[in-house]
Amino acid sequence: CPAITMADVKLPSVIGNHMVLQQGEPVPIWGFAEPGEEISVSFGGSNVSAKADADGKWLVKLPSMKANAKGAKMVVKGSNEIILEDVLVGEVWLCSGQSNMEWTVARSANAKEEIAAANYPLIRHIKVPHRPSDNPESDVNTSGWQAATPATARNFTAVGFYFARELLSELNVPIGLIGSNWGGTRIEPWTAPEGFKAVPALKEEFADKLSEFPHKNGNRVHHQSPLALYNGMISPLVPYAIKGALWYQGESNNGEGMRYHEKMKALIAGWRSVWKKPDLPFYFVQLAPFNYRRNPKELPGIWQAQLETLKVPHTGMAVTTDIATLRDIHPPNKQDVGKRLSLWALAKVYGQRGRVYTGPLFKSSDFSEGKGRITVRFQRHGAYVHGLK
């Protein structure tokens, strides 16, 4: 009779040493084991258990916890034992999009000074590698979570890092950043199937053709085709508990006008669906002014699409028209971008009343023909402010 061997319990790469768990809600911990194997997870005085299903997958939920700035051990037991060190509890944000989100601290303004001062042990970051896939993946290899030090923070998403720094200063709790981003990518590959199905305007182009996506050339998955990056770079993160998402993308979809608004709605709806959080905060960055040397109406068109997306509940937009570099599609001032995103979060997510989180936003205008007068109305904090004549 051959010996019976049990498969070792394994964890996805997003669950590891130095990670930050989301405070204030049940926290899923999951992994892989022999079908039927009993798994227990101990952390923060709680012990929860589950059995691996027929496919060898298991999931437990730790009870809601308060923020804890002192790293603790997590013990996962099955046929083997895994001990995770220096696990914190705080606030976790997904940082996604294309190159302006992937842009690192080392390539941004005042890099030398910022890197030298980047000693923030309570800010943690994990980078998801570029990986398209033709099916939703359950794991993706990463280099793991890293605490912010001068040696590590240089490679963090700059927008995410400066966002986290502001939150840490105001909230005094650990901040976790999941960097899942890829320069030059369109919005469609990041979108979940559920998102395309949720937007009627995208039915014929995408929702009715989901079985055709993503496109492949032989065994190679086209990373710019719908679903490709959701499958390979977002799906492996679900259901890791996150507080919200930051999004900086649009350059690769510039020229689509209001069509981009429909795609934004799909992206947001899809992520909210797979995380089972219909009110997941989603804060995005307005494209900065840049000389695209094409139709001059293209950039205003996508600005209007982004502005319209503010009508989707629990969204916010960081305005960048005053911190751009017209000859550089990657403005180096990522400090203000991160700060402006943090203002939305501090006001809307963390309840800091009275905080100014956006300047006046255009509402409408009237032109009095023959009188040489234009009336422009603005909205602020979602309400009418005043008119200028």
Side-chain angles (χ1 to χ4, degrees):
C1 176
I4 298 176
T5 59
M6 300 290 286
D8 283 348
V9 175
K10 295 181 180 179
L11 298 171
S13 182
V14 71
I15 298 175
N17 298 320
H18 316 300
M19 66 180 170
V20 180
L21 303 177
Q22 179 59 46
Q23 68 169 332
E25 61 184 74
V27 174
I29 301 293
W30 73 99
F32 319 97
E34 189 77 11
E37 186 171 352
E38 185 83 18
I39 311 297
S40 68
V41 178
S42 300
F43 181 76
S46 296
N47 185 283
V48 289
S49 61
K51 282 187 177 182
D53 65 17
D55 294 322
K57 298 178 181 179
W58 56 268
L59 181 147
V60 300
K61 286 189 177 182
L62 292 167
S64 176
M65 297 171 282
K66 294 182 179 180
N68 186 349
K70 185 178 180 181
K73 289 184 179 181
M74 176 181 291
V75 179
V76 181
K77 286 185 179 181
S79 60
N80 58 307
E81 181 176 274
I82 301 173
I83 299 177
L84 303 180
E85 304 282 355
D86 188 31
V87 177
L88 301 176
V89 181
E91 296 294 307
V92 183
W93 287 79
L94 173 64
C95 304
S96 192
Q98 58 180 112
S99 55
N100 270 307
M101 181 60 84
E102 191 169 31
W103 214 249
T104 63
V105 172
R107 302 178 72 184
S108 303
N110 304 319
K112 184 177 179 180
E113 296 82 358
E114 294 287 14
I115 291 170
N119 187 23
Y120 296 95
L122 298 186
I123 295 178
R124 307 288 173 85
H125 176 269
I126 185 171
K127 180 68 164 74
V128 177
H130 299 169
R131 184 197 185 193
S133 178
D134 56 351
N135 288 295
E137 299 289 347
S138 57
D139 196 10
V140 59
N141 290 327
T142 74
S143 56
W145 288 86
Q146 296 179 317
T149 69
T152 62
R154 62 181 296 112
N155 295 318
F156 288 10
T157 158
V159 169
F161 175 70
Y162 296 125
F163 170 86
R165 192 170 68 179
E166 294 293 329
L167 259 56
L168 177 62
S169 174
E170 292 290 330
L171 305 176
N172 197 31
V173 300
I175 308 295
L177 303 171
I178 302 176
S180 186
N181 35 63
W182 189 342
T185 52
R186 297 175 59 83
I187 192 172
E188 297 91 335
W190 295 102
T191 304
E194 294 85 347
F196 289 125
K197 294 176 183 177
V199 180
L202 303 181
K203 183 179 185 297
E204 291 185 10
E205 186 178 0
F206 298 106
D208 288 348
K209 301 178 180 179
L210 289 176
S211 62
E212 301 175 14
F213 302 129
H215 298 142
K216 297 175 67 176
N217 183 6
N219 291 326
R220 184 178 179 182
V221 178
H222 190 339
H223 76 283
Q224 293 282 36
S225 62
L227 310 184
L229 302 185
Y230 167 75
N231 286 344
M233 297 177 64
I234 298 296
S235 176
L237 308 175
V238 181
Y240 197 93
I242 61 174
K243 190 67 172 184
L246 307 180
W247 178 253
Y248 196 162
Q249 191 275 344
E251 297 90 345
S252 291
N253 288 86
N254 193 20
E256 296 186 3
M258 289 301 291
R259 188 70 171 171
Y260 184 72
H261 167 57
E262 303 296 337
K263 293 177 181 180
M264 284 277 283
K265 289 195 296 183
L267 179 77
I268 297 166
W271 287 5
R272 287 175 172 175
S273 176
V274 297
W275 260 286
K276 296 181 172 57
K277 287 189 170 185
D279 298 331
L280 181 78
F282 185 96
Y283 299 137
F284 58 94
V285 183
Q286 177 192 51
L287 289 194
F290 174 70
N291 182 11
Y292 284 94
R293 297 181 181 178
R294 297 196 299 254
N295 185 337
K297 296 181 180 180
E298 288 186 356
L299 187 57
I302 204 164
W303 280 346
Q304 184 61 35
Q306 291 178 313
L307 184 66
E308 196 73 11
T309 302
L310 288 174
K311 293 180 180 179
V312 177
H314 309 291
T315 61
M317 180 176 73
V319 174
T320 58
T321 50
D322 60 323
I323 51 174
T325 47
L326 293 178
R327 297 180 181 273
D328 189 349
I329 201 170
H330 304 114
N333 180 0
K334 295 295 191 278
Q335 289 89 335
D336 282 323
V337 178
K339 183 174 183 178
R340 292 176 187 188
L341 288 168
S342 77
L343 295 176
W344 278 94
L346 290 168
K348 294 294 189 177
V349 177
Y350 301 111
Q352 292 193 357
R353 295 184 179 181
R355 179 176 287 277
V356 176
Y357 56 90
T358 181
L361 297 171
F362 174 81
K363 182 178 182 181
S364 63
S365 64
D366 296 321
F367 177 69
S368 299
E369 188 173 355
K371 297 182 180 180
R373 184 176 68 179
I374 299 176
T375 301
V376 181
R377 300 178 184 84
F378 296 90
Q379 57 184 347
R380 184 177 178 182
H381 301 179
Y384 172 79
V385 180
H386 60 274
L388 298 179
K389 297 183 179 181

mmCIF file with all atom_site columns, all heavy atoms in Angstrom, residues 145-165:
data_model
loop_
_atom_site.group_PDB
_atom_site.id
_atom_site.type_symbol
_atom_site.label_atom_id
_atom_site.label_alt_id
_atom_site.label_comp_id
_atom_site.label_asym_id
_atom_site.label_entity_id
_atom_site.label_seq_id
_atom_site.pdbx_PDB_ins_code
_atom_site.Cartn_x
_atom_site.Cartn_y
_atom_site.Cartn_z
_atom_site.occupancy
_atom_site.B_iso_or_equiv
_atom_site.pdbx_formal_charge
_atom_site.auth_seq_id
_atom_site.auth_comp_id
_atom_site.auth_asym_id
_atom_site.auth_atom_id
_atom_site.pdbx_PDB_model_num
ATOM 1   N N   . TRP A 1 145 ? 5.285  41.902 1.365  1.00 0.00 ? 145 TRP A N   1
ATOM 2   C CA  . TRP A 1 145 ? 5.060  43.212 1.982  1.00 0.00 ? 145 TRP A CA  1
ATOM 3   C C   . TRP A 1 145 ? 6.384  43.796 2.490  1.00 0.00 ? 145 TRP A C   1
ATOM 4   O O   . TRP A 1 145 ? 7.215  43.074 3.034  1.00 0.00 ? 145 TRP A O   1
ATOM 5   C CB  . TRP A 1 145 ? 4.094  43.085 3.147  1.00 0.00 ? 145 TRP A CB  1
ATOM 6   C CG  . TRP A 1 145 ? 2.670  42.816 2.754  1.00 0.00 ? 145 TRP A CG  1
ATOM 7   C CD1 . TRP A 1 145 ? 2.102  41.602 2.512  1.00 0.00 ? 145 TRP A CD1 1
ATOM 8   C CD2 . TRP A 1 145 ? 1.643  43.787 2.577  1.00 0.00 ? 145 TRP A CD2 1
ATOM 9   N NE1 . TRP A 1 145 ? 0.777  41.751 2.190  1.00 0.00 ? 145 TRP A NE1 1
ATOM 10  C CE2 . TRP A 1 145 ? 0.460  43.087 2.226  1.00 0.00 ? 145 TRP A CE2 1
ATOM 11  C CE3 . TRP A 1 145 ? 1.596  45.176 2.680  1.00 0.00 ? 145 TRP A CE3 1
ATOM 12  C CZ2 . TRP A 1 145 ? -0.749 43.729 1.973  1.00 0.00 ? 145 TRP A CZ2 1
ATOM 13  C CZ3 . TRP A 1 145 ? 0.391  45.827 2.430  1.00 0.00 ? 145 TRP A CZ3 1
ATOM 14  C CH2 . TRP A 1 145 ? -0.760 45.103 2.083  1.00 0.00 ? 145 TRP A CH2 1
ATOM 15  N N   . GLN A 1 146 ? 6.531  45.102 2.340  1.00 0.00 ? 146 GLN A N   1
ATOM 16  C CA  . GLN A 1 146 ? 7.723  45.797 2.814  1.00 0.00 ? 146 GLN A CA  1
ATOM 17  C C   . GLN A 1 146 ? 7.327  47.021 3.619  1.00 0.00 ? 146 GLN A C   1
ATOM 18  O O   . GLN A 1 146 ? 6.407  47.760 3.246  1.00 0.00 ? 146 GLN A O   1
ATOM 19  C CB  . GLN A 1 146 ? 8.599  46.243 1.644  1.00 0.00 ? 146 GLN A CB  1
ATOM 20  C CG  . GLN A 1 146 ? 9.183  45.102 0.817  1.00 0.00 ? 146 GLN A CG  1
ATOM 21  C CD  . GLN A 1 146 ? 10.012 45.617 -0.345 1.00 0.00 ? 146 GLN A CD  1
ATOM 22  O OE1 . GLN A 1 146 ? 9.618  46.566 -1.028 1.00 0.00 ? 146 GLN A OE1 1
ATOM 23  N NE2 . GLN A 1 146 ? 11.166 45.015 -0.574 1.00 0.00 ? 146 GLN A NE2 1
ATOM 24  N N   . ALA A 1 147 ? 8.016  47.233 4.724  1.00 0.00 ? 147 ALA A N   1
ATOM 25  C CA  . ALA A 1 147 ? 7.838  48.464 5.491  1.00 0.00 ? 147 ALA A CA  1
ATOM 26  C C   . ALA A 1 147 ? 8.619  49.584 4.816  1.00 0.00 ? 147 ALA A C   1
ATOM 27  O O   . ALA A 1 147 ? 9.655  49.349 4.175  1.00 0.00 ? 147 ALA A O   1
ATOM 28  C CB  . ALA A 1 147 ? 8.324  48.269 6.927  1.00 0.00 ? 147 ALA A CB  1
ATOM 29  N N   . ALA A 1 148 ? 8.130  50.818 4.941  1.00 0.00 ? 148 ALA A N   1
ATOM 30  C CA  . ALA A 1 148 ? 8.766  51.948 4.286  1.00 0.00 ? 148 ALA A CA  1
ATOM 31  C C   . ALA A 1 148 ? 10.052 52.347 5.005  1.00 0.00 ? 148 ALA A C   1
ATOM 32  O O   . ALA A 1 148 ? 10.023 52.788 6.156  1.00 0.00 ? 148 ALA A O   1
ATOM 33  C CB  . ALA A 1 148 ? 7.809  53.134 4.231  1.00 0.00 ? 148 ALA A CB  1
ATOM 34  N N   . THR A 1 149 ? 11.161 52.202 4.329  1.00 0.00 ? 149 THR A N   1
ATOM 35  C CA  . THR A 1 149 ? 12.466 52.655 4.784  1.00 0.00 ? 149 THR A CA  1
ATOM 36  C C   . THR A 1 149 ? 13.145 53.327 3.595  1.00 0.00 ? 149 THR A C   1
ATOM 37  O O   . THR A 1 149 ? 12.696 53.170 2.449  1.00 0.00 ? 149 THR A O   1
ATOM 38  C CB  . THR A 1 149 ? 13.343 51.485 5.264  1.00 0.00 ? 149 THR A CB  1
ATOM 39  O OG1 . THR A 1 149 ? 13.702 50.672 4.124  1.00 0.00 ? 149 THR A OG1 1
ATOM 40  C CG2 . THR A 1 149 ? 12.616 50.620 6.294  1.00 0.00 ? 149 THR A CG2 1
ATOM 41  N N   . PRO A 1 150 ? 14.243 54.042 3.804  1.00 0.00 ? 150 PRO A N   1
ATOM 42  C CA  . PRO A 1 150 ? 14.949 54.626 2.658  1.00 0.00 ? 150 PRO A CA  1
ATOM 43  C C   . PRO A 1 150 ? 15.368 53.591 1.618  1.00 0.00 ? 150 PRO A C   1
ATOM 44  O O   . PRO A 1 150 ? 15.483 53.912 0.435  1.00 0.00 ? 150 PRO A O   1
ATOM 45  C CB  . PRO A 1 150 ? 16.153 55.295 3.313  1.00 0.00 ? 150 PRO A CB  1
ATOM 46  C CG  . PRO A 1 150 ? 15.659 55.676 4.677  1.00 0.00 ? 150 PRO A CG  1
ATOM 47  C CD  . PRO A 1 150 ? 14.779 54.538 5.087  1.00 0.00 ? 150 PRO A CD  1
ATOM 48  N N   . ALA A 1 151 ? 15.565 52.356 2.045  1.00 0.00 ? 151 ALA A N   1
ATOM 49  C CA  . ALA A 1 151 ? 15.987 51.315 1.102  1.00 0.00 ? 151 ALA A CA  1
ATOM 50  C C   . ALA A 1 151 ? 14.824 50.754 0.289  1.00 0.00 ? 151 ALA A C   1
ATOM 51  O O   . ALA A 1 151 ? 15.018 50.270 -0.828 1.00 0.00 ? 151 ALA A O   1
ATOM 52  C CB  . ALA A 1 151 ? 16.679 50.180 1.862  1.00 0.00 ? 151 ALA A CB  1
ATOM 53  N N   . THR A 1 152 ? 13.607 50.820 0.834  1.00 0.00 ? 152 THR A N   1
ATOM 54  C CA  . THR A 1 152 ? 12.459 50.206 0.161  1.00 0.00 ? 152 THR A CA  1
ATOM 55  C C   . THR A 1 152 ? 11.502 51.211 -0.459 1.00 0.00 ? 152 THR A C   1
ATOM 56  O O   . THR A 1 152 ? 10.982 50.977 -1.551 1.00 0.00 ? 152 THR A O   1
ATOM 57  C CB  . THR A 1 152 ? 11.662 49.339 1.150  1.00 0.00 ? 152 THR A CB  1
ATOM 58  O OG1 . THR A 1 152 ? 11.158 50.172 2.214  1.00 0.00 ? 152 THR A OG1 1
ATOM 59  C CG2 . THR A 1 152 ? 12.528 48.226 1.730  1.00 0.00 ? 152 THR A CG2 1
ATOM 60  N N   . ALA A 1 153 ? 11.252 52.323 0.221  1.00 0.00 ? 153 ALA A N   1
ATOM 61  C CA  . ALA A 1 153 ? 10.223 53.264 -0.213 1.00 0.00 ? 153 ALA A CA  1
ATOM 62  C C   . ALA A 1 153 ? 10.532 53.882 -1.571 1.00 0.00 ? 153 ALA A C   1
ATOM 63  O O   . ALA A 1 153 ? 9.616  54.343 -2.259 1.00 0.00 ? 153 ALA A O   1
ATOM 64  C CB  . ALA A 1 153 ? 10.043 54.369 0.830  1.00 0.00 ? 153 ALA A CB  1
ATOM 65  N N   . ARG A 1 154 ? 11.773 53.889 -1.973 1.00 0.00 ? 154 ARG A N   1
ATOM 66  C CA  . ARG A 1 154 ? 12.139 54.448 -3.270 1.00 0.00 ? 154 ARG A CA  1
ATOM 67  C C   . ARG A 1 154 ? 11.391 53.748 -4.412 1.00 0.00 ? 154 ARG A C   1
ATOM 68  O O   . ARG A 1 154 ? 11.153 54.348 -5.462 1.00 0.00 ? 154 ARG A O   1
ATOM 69  C CB  . ARG A 1 154 ? 13.647 54.352 -3.478 1.00 0.00 ? 154 ARG A CB  1
ATOM 70  C CG  . ARG A 1 154 ? 14.195 52.924 -3.482 1.00 0.00 ? 154 ARG A CG  1
ATOM 71  C CD  . ARG A 1 154 ? 15.712 52.882 -3.671 1.00 0.00 ? 154 ARG A CD  1
ATOM 72  N NE  . ARG A 1 154 ? 16.097 53.407 -4.972 1.00 0.00 ? 154 ARG A NE  1
ATOM 73  C CZ  . ARG A 1 154 ? 16.754 54.531 -5.155 1.00 0.00 ? 154 ARG A CZ  1
ATOM 74  N NH1 . ARG A 1 154 ? 17.124 55.266 -4.117 1.00 0.00 ? 154 ARG A NH1 1
ATOM 75  N NH2 . ARG A 1 154 ? 17.059 54.942 -6.371 1.00 0.00 ? 154 ARG A NH2 1
ATOM 76  N N   . ASN A 1 155 ? 11.004 52.497 -4.197 1.00 0.00 ? 155 ASN A N   1
ATOM 77  C CA  . ASN A 1 155 ? 10.317 51.733 -5.240 1.00 0.00 ? 155 ASN A CA  1
ATOM 78  C C   . ASN A 1 155 ? 8.810  51.642 -5.030 1.00 0.00 ? 155 ASN A C   1
ATOM 79  O O   . ASN A 1 155 ? 8.123  50.941 -5.783 1.00 0.00 ? 155 ASN A O   1
ATOM 80  C CB  . ASN A 1 155 ? 10.911 50.328 -5.333 1.00 0.00 ? 155 ASN A CB  1
ATOM 81  C CG  . ASN A 1 155 ? 12.358 50.337 -5.781 1.00 0.00 ? 155 ASN A CG  1
ATOM 82  O OD1 . ASN A 1 155 ? 12.710 51.086 -6.697 1.00 0.00 ? 155 ASN A OD1 1
ATOM 83  N ND2 . ASN A 1 155 ? 13.189 49.544 -5.140 1.00 0.00 ? 155 ASN A ND2 1
ATOM 84  N N   . PHE A 1 156 ? 8.276  52.318 -4.014 1.00 0.00 ? 156 PHE A N   1
ATOM 85  C CA  . PHE A 1 156 ? 6.833  52.327 -3.783 1.00 0.00 ? 156 PHE A CA  1
ATOM 86  C C   . PHE A 1 156 ? 6.156  53.214 -4.831 1.00 0.00 ? 156 PHE A C   1
ATOM 87  O O   . PHE A 1 156 ? 6.748  54.138 -5.385 1.00 0.00 ? 156 PHE A O   1
ATOM 88  C CB  . PHE A 1 156 ? 6.498  52.887 -2.405 1.00 0.00 ? 156 PHE A CB  1
ATOM 89  C CG  . PHE A 1 156 ? 6.843  51.994 -1.249 1.00 0.00 ? 156 PHE A CG  1
ATOM 90  C CD1 . PHE A 1 156 ? 7.610  50.848 -1.396 1.00 0.00 ? 156 PHE A CD1 1
ATOM 91  C CD2 . PHE A 1 156 ? 6.412  52.329 0.030  1.00 0.00 ? 156 PHE A CD2 1
ATOM 92  C CE1 . PHE A 1 156 ? 7.929  50.042 -0.312 1.00 0.00 ? 156 PHE A CE1 1
ATOM 93  C CE2 . PHE A 1 156 ? 6.729  51.530 1.118  1.00 0.00 ? 156 PHE A CE2 1
ATOM 94  C CZ  . PHE A 1 156 ? 7.485  50.392 0.950  1.00 0.00 ? 156 PHE A CZ  1
ATOM 95  N N   . THR A 1 157 ? 4.864  52.957 -5.079 1.00 0.00 ? 157 THR A N   1
ATOM 96  C CA  . THR A 1 157 ? 4.072  53.911 -5.843 1.00 0.00 ? 157 THR A CA  1
ATOM 97  C C   . THR A 1 157 ? 4.127  55.253 -5.126 1.00 0.00 ? 157 THR A C   1
ATOM 98  O O   . THR A 1 157 ? 3.790  55.354 -3.937 1.00 0.00 ? 157 THR A O   1
ATOM 99  C CB  . THR A 1 157 ? 2.609  53.458 -5.972 1.00 0.00 ? 157 THR A CB  1
ATOM 100 O OG1 . THR A 1 157 ? 1.780  54.607 -6.251 1.00 0.00 ? 157 THR A OG1 1
ATOM 101 C CG2 . THR A 1 157 ? 2.067  52.823 -4.712 1.00 0.00 ? 157 THR A CG2 1
ATOM 102 N N   . ALA A 1 158 ? 4.536  56.304 -5.838 1.00 0.00 ? 158 ALA A N   1
ATOM 103 C CA  . ALA A 1 158 ? 4.697  57.608 -5.194 1.00 0.00 ? 158 ALA A CA  1
ATOM 104 C C   . ALA A 1 158 ? 3.350  58.174 -4.754 1.00 0.00 ? 158 ALA A C   1
ATOM 105 O O   . ALA A 1 158 ? 3.215  58.671 -3.633 1.00 0.00 ? 158 ALA A O   1
ATOM 106 C CB  . ALA A 1 158 ? 5.396  58.571 -6.143 1.00 0.00 ? 158 ALA A CB  1
ATOM 107 N N   . VAL A 1 159 ? 2.346  58.102 -5.634 1.00 0.00 ? 159 VAL A N   1
ATOM 108 C CA  . VAL A 1 159 ? 1.024  58.606 -5.266 1.00 0.00 ? 159 VAL A CA  1
ATOM 109 C C   . VAL A 1 159 ? 0.514  57.875 -4.036 1.00 0.00 ? 159 VAL A C   1
ATOM 110 O O   . VAL A 1 159 ? 0.013  58.493 -3.085 1.00 0.00 ? 159 VAL A O   1
ATOM 111 C CB  . VAL A 1 159 ? 0.050  58.454 -6.448 1.00 0.00 ? 159 VAL A CB  1
ATOM 112 C CG1 . VAL A 1 159 ? -1.389 58.712 -5.990 1.00 0.00 ? 159 VAL A CG1 1
ATOM 113 C CG2 . VAL A 1 159 ? 0.413  59.414 -7.565 1.00 0.00 ? 159 VAL A CG2 1
ATOM 114 N N   . GLY A 1 160 ? 0.646  56.551 -4.017 1.00 0.00 ? 160 GLY A N   1
ATOM 115 C CA  . GLY A 1 160 ? 0.195  55.777 -2.865 1.00 0.00 ? 160 GLY A CA  1
ATOM 116 C C   . GLY A 1 160 ? 0.971  56.111 -1.607 1.00 0.00 ? 160 GLY A C   1
ATOM 117 O O   . GLY A 1 160 ? 0.400  56.245 -0.519 1.00 0.00 ? 160 GLY A O   1
ATOM 118 N N   . PHE A 1 161 ? 2.289  56.258 -1.733 1.00 0.00 ? 161 PHE A N   1
ATOM 119 C CA  . PHE A 1 161 ? 3.124  56.544 -0.566 1.00 0.00 ? 161 PHE A CA  1
ATOM 120 C C   . PHE A 1 161 ? 2.763  57.890 0.059  1.00 0.00 ? 161 PHE A C   1
ATOM 121 O O   . PHE A 1 161 ? 2.626  58.003 1.290  1.00 0.00 ? 161 PHE A O   1
ATOM 122 C CB  . PHE A 1 161 ? 4.598  56.529 -0.957 1.00 0.00 ? 161 PHE A CB  1
ATOM 123 C CG  . PHE A 1 161 ? 5.534  56.923 0.152  1.00 0.00 ? 161 PHE A CG  1
ATOM 124 C CD1 . PHE A 1 161 ? 5.739  56.087 1.242  1.00 0.00 ? 161 PHE A CD1 1
ATOM 125 C CD2 . PHE A 1 161 ? 6.198  58.142 0.117  1.00 0.00 ? 161 PHE A CD2 1
ATOM 126 C CE1 . PHE A 1 161 ? 6.599  56.455 2.279  1.00 0.00 ? 161 PHE A CE1 1
ATOM 127 C CE2 . PHE A 1 161 ? 7.055  58.519 1.142  1.00 0.00 ? 161 PHE A CE2 1
ATOM 128 C CZ  . PHE A 1 161 ? 7.257  57.677 2.227  1.00 0.00 ? 161 PHE A CZ  1
ATOM 129 N N   . TYR A 1 162 ? 2.587  58.911 -0.770 1.00 0.00 ? 162 TYR A N   1
ATOM 130 C CA  . TYR A 1 162 ? 2.262  60.229 -0.208 1.00 0.00 ? 162 TYR A CA  1
ATOM 131 C C   . TYR A 1 162 ? 0.838  60.263 0.325  1.00 0.00 ? 162 TYR A C   1
ATOM 132 O O   . TYR A 1 162 ? 0.549  60.987 1.293  1.00 0.00 ? 162 TYR A O   1
ATOM 133 C CB  . TYR A 1 162 ? 2.516  61.314 -1.255 1.00 0.00 ? 162 TYR A CB  1
ATOM 134 C CG  . TYR A 1 162 ? 3.975  61.402 -1.641 1.00 0.00 ? 162 TYR A CG  1
ATOM 135 C CD1 . TYR A 1 162 ? 4.393  61.307 -2.960 1.00 0.00 ? 162 TYR A CD1 1
ATOM 136 C CD2 . TYR A 1 162 ? 4.961  61.529 -0.661 1.00 0.00 ? 162 TYR A CD2 1
ATOM 137 C CE1 . TYR A 1 162 ? 5.736  61.358 -3.302 1.00 0.00 ? 162 TYR A CE1 1
ATOM 138 C CE2 . TYR A 1 162 ? 6.308  61.578 -0.989 1.00 0.00 ? 162 TYR A CE2 1
ATOM 139 C CZ  . TYR A 1 162 ? 6.692  61.488 -2.311 1.00 0.00 ? 162 TYR A CZ  1
ATOM 140 O OH  . TYR A 1 162 ? 8.025  61.522 -2.638 1.00 0.00 ? 162 TYR A OH  1
ATOM 141 N N   . PHE A 1 163 ? -0.047 59.509 -0.268 1.00 0.00 ? 163 PHE A N   1
ATOM 142 C CA  . PHE A 1 163 ? -1.397 59.326 0.284  1.00 0.00 ? 163 PHE A CA  1
ATOM 143 C C   . PHE A 1 163 ? -1.289 58.684 1.666  1.00 0.00 ? 163 PHE A C   1
ATOM 144 O O   . PHE A 1 163 ? -1.900 59.150 2.639  1.00 0.00 ? 163 PHE A O   1
ATOM 145 C CB  . PHE A 1 163 ? -2.198 58.445 -0.671 1.00 0.00 ? 163 PHE A CB  1
ATOM 146 C CG  . PHE A 1 163 ? -3.532 57.969 -0.145 1.00 0.00 ? 163 PHE A CG  1
ATOM 147 C CD1 . PHE A 1 163 ? -4.667 58.748 -0.268 1.00 0.00 ? 163 PHE A CD1 1
ATOM 148 C CD2 . PHE A 1 163 ? -3.658 56.712 0.437  1.00 0.00 ? 163 PHE A CD2 1
ATOM 149 C CE1 . PHE A 1 163 ? -5.907 58.293 0.204  1.00 0.00 ? 163 PHE A CE1 1
ATOM 150 C CE2 . PHE A 1 163 ? -4.878 56.251 0.906  1.00 0.00 ? 163 PHE A CE2 1
ATOM 151 C CZ  . PHE A 1 163 ? -6.007 57.047 0.783  1.00 0.00 ? 163 PHE A CZ  1
ATOM 152 N N   . ALA A 1 164 ? -0.517 57.610 1.773  1.00 0.00 ? 164 ALA A N   1
ATOM 153 C CA  . ALA A 1 164 ? -0.372 56.897 3.046  1.00 0.00 ? 164 ALA A CA  1
ATOM 154 C C   . ALA A 1 164 ? 0.273  57.772 4.104  1.00 0.00 ? 164 ALA A C   1
ATOM 155 O O   . ALA A 1 164 ? -0.106 57.724 5.283  1.00 0.00 ? 164 ALA A O   1
ATOM 156 C CB  . ALA A 1 164 ? 0.457  55.628 2.837  1.00 0.00 ? 164 ALA A CB  1
ATOM 157 N N   . ARG A 1 165 ? 1.231  58.569 3.704  1.00 0.00 ? 165 ARG A N   1
ATOM 158 C CA  . ARG A 1 165 ? 1.916  59.438 4.668  1.00 0.00 ? 165 ARG A CA  1
ATOM 159 C C   . ARG A 1 165 ? 0.950  60.440 5.287  1.00 0.00 ? 165 ARG A C   1
ATOM 160 O O   . ARG A 1 165 ? 1.007  60.716 6.491  1.00 0.00 ? 165 ARG A O   1
ATOM 161 C CB  . ARG A 1 165 ? 3.072  60.163 3.972  1.00 0.00 ? 165 ARG A CB  1
ATOM 162 C CG  . ARG A 1 165 ? 4.015  60.871 4.927  1.00 0.00 ? 165 ARG A CG  1
ATOM 163 C CD  . ARG A 1 165 ? 5.257  61.355 4.200  1.00 0.00 ? 165 ARG A CD  1
ATOM 164 N NE  . ARG A 1 165 ? 4.949  62.439 3.250  1.00 0.00 ? 165 ARG A NE  1
ATOM 165 C CZ  . ARG A 1 165 ? 5.876  63.035 2.509  1.00 0.00 ? 165 ARG A CZ  1
ATOM 166 N NH1 . ARG A 1 165 ? 7.149  62.629 2.560  1.00 0.00 ? 165 ARG A NH1 1
ATOM 167 N NH2 . ARG A 1 165 ? 5.547  64.018 1.679  1.00 0.00 ? 165 ARG A NH2 1
#
